[in-house]
Amino acid sequence: MKTYPIRRLAFYIALIITVLSLIFIYIMSIAGNFFYVTIVLTGVFFAVQYSIAVYILRKYINDKIEPIYKVIRDKPASGTSNNAGNQNGDIIGDVRKEVEEWAKNQAQEITRLKDLERYRKEFVGNVSHELKTPIFNIQGYILTLLEGGLDDPKINKLY
């Protein structure tokens, strides 16, 4: 799973907090000449805020969503599940149950579509075979008539 969105979100959170703290530090340092100290503190504060934001987002968002993706990735094609379900009523358990049900329905739909495709191929093959046989017979008769069968009254009447 990609972590780019989490890092981007953490960057924006850290940037907003850093800008707010920069404004606060600058207002506090107007009385003195602490411009360089303000810049250094802002950089350190940004790095700390970024690290904290990444940790929080990974811990509380990614750890809750990862089991759902795991269920989707590990779902067997037959649609059966080893998980008994959700007993304690939490949201993540409910979502997992819904994802398992969705995966089961998708597996059934895929099986049904494969059966319909097989039926379609058999039907087209049978229709094609049933149409080819009389067409080839008619084509043979016409070819015989064109190659001189029209002049022979016995063959002309028969064909």
Side-chain angles (χ1 to χ4, degrees):
M1 180 187 318
K2 292 182 179 180
T3 57
Y4 297 118
I6 289 176
R7 287 185 179 163
R8 187 177 302 136
L9 184 60
F11 175 79
Y12 292 141
I13 290 170
L15 187 64
I16 290 169
I17 292 173
T18 302
V19 167
L20 291 175
S21 66
L22 175 65
I23 292 169
F24 178 73
I25 291 171
Y26 182 73
I27 290 171
M28 298 304 273
S29 67
I30 287 179
N33 193 4
F34 297 116
F35 180 72
Y36 296 113
V37 173
T38 303
I39 297 298
V40 171
L41 283 177
T42 302
V44 170
F45 192 70
F46 176 78
V48 169
Q49 288 300 317
Y50 177 76
S51 300
I52 290 172
V54 167
Y55 173 76
I56 289 172
L57 289 173
R58 280 194 182 152
K59 181 68 178 162
Y60 294 108
I61 293 175
N62 210 15
D63 289 351
K64 296 293 183 182
I65 294 175
E66 183 64 30
I68 295 170
Y69 286 119
K70 187 175 186 304
V71 168
I72 292 171
R73 285 191 302 265
D74 296 342
K75 188 68 181 165
S78 64
T80 59
S81 173
N82 299 342
N83 198 353
N86 180 20
Q87 278 93 18
N88 59 359
D90 66 332
I91 294 173
I92 299 300
D94 292 341
V95 171
R96 178 180 295 191
K97 186 176 177 182
E98 288 178 19
V99 167
E100 288 175 354
E101 185 66 30
W102 175 82
K104 180 180 175 184
N105 291 339
Q106 294 303 314
Q108 290 172 349
E109 182 71 16
I110 289 171
T111 303
R112 188 181 71 82
L113 289 173
K114 285 181 181 178
D115 289 343
L116 288 174
E117 178 67 17
R118 183 182 44 79
Y119 176 75
R120 185 193 64 82
K121 285 181 181 179
E122 288 177 8
F123 178 76
V124 169
N126 289 338
V127 167
S128 173
H129 175 72
E130 294 299 325
L131 289 176
K132 279 185 199 176
T133 304
I135 288 175
F136 283 136
N137 287 339
I138 293 170
Q139 185 180 11
Y141 292 144
I142 291 173
L143 189 61
T144 303
L145 289 173
L146 290 175
E147 291 180 352
L150 283 174
D151 299 334
D152 187 2
K154 187 177 178 185
I155 293 177
N156 189 352
K157 260 194 182 245
L158 182 65
Y159 285 10

